[in-house]
Each structure stands twice: as structure tokens, then as C-alpha cells.
Amino acid sequence: MERASPPAFRPPDFDFQESLLPMTQHEAAVEANRCLYCYDAPCMHACPTHIDIPTFIRKISTGNLRGSARTILESNFLGGTCARVCPVQELCEGACVLGADHTPIAIGRLQRYAVDHVQERGVQMFTPAPSTGLKVAVVGSGPAGLSAAAELAKLGHAVTLLEKRELGGGLSTYGIIVLREPVEIALREVEAVKALGVEVRTQSELSDRAGLDALLREYDAVFLGLGLGAVPAIGIPGEEHILDGLAVIEASKMGRPTGIGQRVAVIGAGNTAIDAATVARRMGADTRMVYRRTEAEMTAYRHEYEFALHEGVSFDFLTQPVRVLAENGNVTGLECRRMVLGTPDSSGRPRPEPVPDSEFVIGCDAVISAIGQEKPALALALGLEVEGGYIAVSSSLETSIPGVYAGGDCVRVRGSASTVMAVQDGKIAAAGIHVALAAKVAAD
């Protein structure tokens, strides 16, 4: 069915473009030739999608960029996004054998170099298998959904991807700051999925069990890539004046007003909080991050923390927000309390405890909260079993409802949520769906 093109977005008009320039041909060749092409390479084991890193780098060194990109995209269909947003310092580059005594290979930048080469030229790397006659619905076009849709389409299944928002791409489009990934890159991968024959229906939302049952009647299997919810409430007076960190990042990507003023306080110390603070700083605001524990307990990656410091973001550790101050609807400050660390809590981190009579005010005209995201509330509405608030799944990522699979942040009850883990979930679920559907056809 013919659908209208997605609405255009206006790129931000401030200093907020990709922080790393693409490699030149010479830079890529020099870097690729530094690789030792290890047997049983540690970098491959460290990559959740198990890209054959030595092979794709060797192909770059010989000038075979199409072959290099194919090696990457066979394992990770969102190789362009992951080249930009993966915590490579913690994964492949962190495992590089050259890292101990030398500089590790710039695997992420080399991956971007190869994938961008083919995607900028519109080269289609894959052809779907002959049609199986089976249909699969994928709900959510974030990394998990796109990955599952691509793998299922390559296997010959007819895939319909349902996205509740105006643009596809999920977190890659709306929630990753432009410094790491511009909107155009995320939309390019949506187009690559469409090129495999996947029908993408935007502004199509699944909201209840009746809707899921309708999908199960129409399709042979359903994959849910629901992501997580909004930033949770903090529970302090004046909270109605607080800006949602994810909403601020989205506005910065879509060219809409962010609500950021001249002095900004950001509550939280995870990677999203770092991103929100970076947005504020790049827009010229004096930016302070407020965290109730210390630097040692931050959930943000070390390199993200150092990046924020380099950007000029300041940090108030052992500081607990207690009230947002406002006059005539305008924020004037964030009242805080000093903390000390006590015994460990359920997370294993030292519990912050208040210091009596230690209240003080941080002057600011905007407060942003980025303290995580709520669990996938839709799971209960769909009648799915949950574990710790996340959707419970089997090893093949099948949920408690037969024929319904799930992946991405909505199932991440253990381990860290990330784009690359969501991509791998999409691959695992697609394989599980393919095996189950083949068995069903054989039984019939």
C-alpha cells in the first residue's frame, strides 16, 4: 500500500554536528594496515554481533570497500549506526591486543568508513531469498525492530514494520545526540530495510491485547521491539518545571525549541544525562550535572564522563535535588542537599544519605532530568509475563504468548541496554521465528 513520505525535519542551527570527521582514504588505509589480523581475534568475541573484524579491516586495506561493508552488514545490519554509537572503548577496541602497549585499532571509525561508502552510494548489499509465503509483523522500528525485520526479509518472509511515530529508526532517530548520529544516518538504515521489501507503516501504534490478537490473526509471528518508557518522576516539589532529558535530545535533533536557557542543571549521571548536558553546553548554557553519589558510582562510561568534562560541563557529586524553585512559572534554581555514602543498597552501590542542614541552591533557568527510563508498561497491557518489569523471554526470545517474540531494551532485565545488544536481539529473534515457522510448515 502506498504511503505518504515522512515529514521533513529541520537540522539544528547550532554547533551540533558529528564530533568525528569521516576518515580519508589515506587515513583508513594506514589504520587498516596497523591491524595484526589476529586468529580467533579478541575484538570479535567482544562484539555482541560478532562481526568478523579482522576480515573487514583486511578488505579495507586492499581497497575492497564493498566486500568490507558486506562482511559488517552480514553480522550487523545497523553497522552504520553501531560504528557511531557503540561503546567501542568498552567492547571491540577495548579488547584489541594493541591496546595494552600501543593505541588500539580504530575499529569503529573503520567500520563507519566502509559502511558509509556503500550507503552513501545507495548500494544494495543483499537480495531477499525466494518468498516463503509467510508473514511477520514487527512492532517498533528501533534497532531491535529494524534488525529483526532485515533478517526476516533476507530469509524470504513478508515483513510489515509498525512504528507509532512519524519517522522510523526509534532511539537512533530521536534519542541519540547529533554529535554521535545525525538523523539522516538513522533514516538511511530505515530505507535500507525498505529496499529489502519490508513495508514500513509509521503512525501505527499497538496499544492493547486486542491489537496484538489482531496481528496474530493476520500474521504468522510477531516481534515486539517496544523499547522503554519516559524518564520517571523524581518526586520533588516543583517537578512540573523539569524537562525530560530524552525530550530535550529529541528537540535538538528535530530542530525544535529545547527549553534550554543560559544556566542548566542536569539531574543524573548516566549516558543519557551526559548527552543532555552536552546538548545544553553546545547551545551555550552554563551546565552543571547533579548526582547523589560520586564519580566512582556513575553509570555513564568513563570516556563519556571525560568527554563531558572536555566540553566544559561541571559536576556536583554527593548532591541530591530536593526542590525546583520557580517564580511566575519560570525556573530560578534547584535546591539541593549534600549527601554522604553509607552502606550498599540493592544495586550494590553505597547508599547516599543526607547531611543534616546542608541545603543550598544552584541558580539555573532550566532543570533537565535524565535518571533512566520507566519499564515497558505496554507489556502488562498486552498480557505478557514480565521479569523485574521487563518482558520475560526464552533463549530464542519468544514471550509467554506463543508466536510473539521480543527484544531490545524491553527485555534487558540483565546486562546493559545498548544499540548493539538490541541489534543482536533482532538477529536472535529472527532466527527463532524462522525455525519455528519452518517447523510449523513442515508439520502442516
Side-chain angles (χ1 to χ4, degrees), residues 316-336:
D316 286 275
F317 294 112
L318 294 173
T319 301
Q320 174 73 56
V322 296
R323 183 163 58 115
V324 178
L325 306 176
E327 294 179 4
N328 301 319
N330 298 316
V331 172
T332 60
L334 180 65
E335 183 178 342
C336 301

Side-chain angles (χ1 to χ4, degrees), residues 282-341:
R282 282 292 176 108
M283 294 184 72
D286 179 8
T287 306
R288 298 172 68 173
M289 295 188 68
V290 177
Y291 181 48
R292 61 182 182 164
R293 292 185 171 95
T294 73
E295 173 188 333
E297 289 79 38
M298 291 175 66
T299 56
Y301 294 119
R302 178 73 192 184
H303 66 273
E304 298 281 14
Y305 170 51
E306 292 174 352
F307 176 80
L309 289 173
H310 179 74
E311 288 285 305
V313 175
S314 60
F315 288 77
D316 286 275
F317 294 112
L318 294 173
T319 301
Q320 174 73 56
V322 296
R323 183 163 58 115
V324 178
L325 306 176
E327 294 179 4
N328 301 319
N330 298 316
V331 172
T332 60
L334 180 65
E335 183 178 342
C336 301
R337 179 183 294 127
R338 296 294 183 194
M339 311 295 283
V340 294
L341 295 183

Side-chain angles (χ1 to χ4, degrees), residues 35 53 64 70 72 93 96 125 127 153 156 170 172 179 340 368 394 429:
C35 182
I53 294 169
N64 181 8
R70 186 177 184 89
I72 295 163
E93 292 181 19
C96 178
M125 306 302 298
T127 302
S172 298
L179 278 173
V340 294
I368 299 172
S394 68

Side-chain angles (χ1 to χ4, degrees), residues 14-16 258 260-264 276-288 311-313 365:
F14 48 91
D15 181 20
F16 204 54
T258 60
I260 290 173
Q262 296 301 308
R263 296 182 298 166
V264 176
T278 302
V279 168
R281 189 74 192 100
R282 282 292 176 108
M283 294 184 72
D286 179 8
T287 306
R288 298 172 68 173
E311 288 285 305
V313 175
D365 50 23

Side-chain angles (χ1 to χ4, degrees), residues 335-360:
E335 183 178 342
C336 301
R337 179 183 294 127
R338 296 294 183 194
M339 311 295 283
V340 294
L341 295 183
T343 57
D345 61 14
S346 58
S347 72
R349 296 178 295 173
R351 184 188 306 276
E353 298 174 353
V355 175
D357 302 320
S358 62
E359 286 75 12
F360 68 103

Side-chain angles (χ1 to χ4, degrees), residues 130-149:
S131 174
T132 63
L134 300 171
K135 301 193 302 180
V136 182
V138 174
V139 180
S141 66
L146 287 178
S147 175

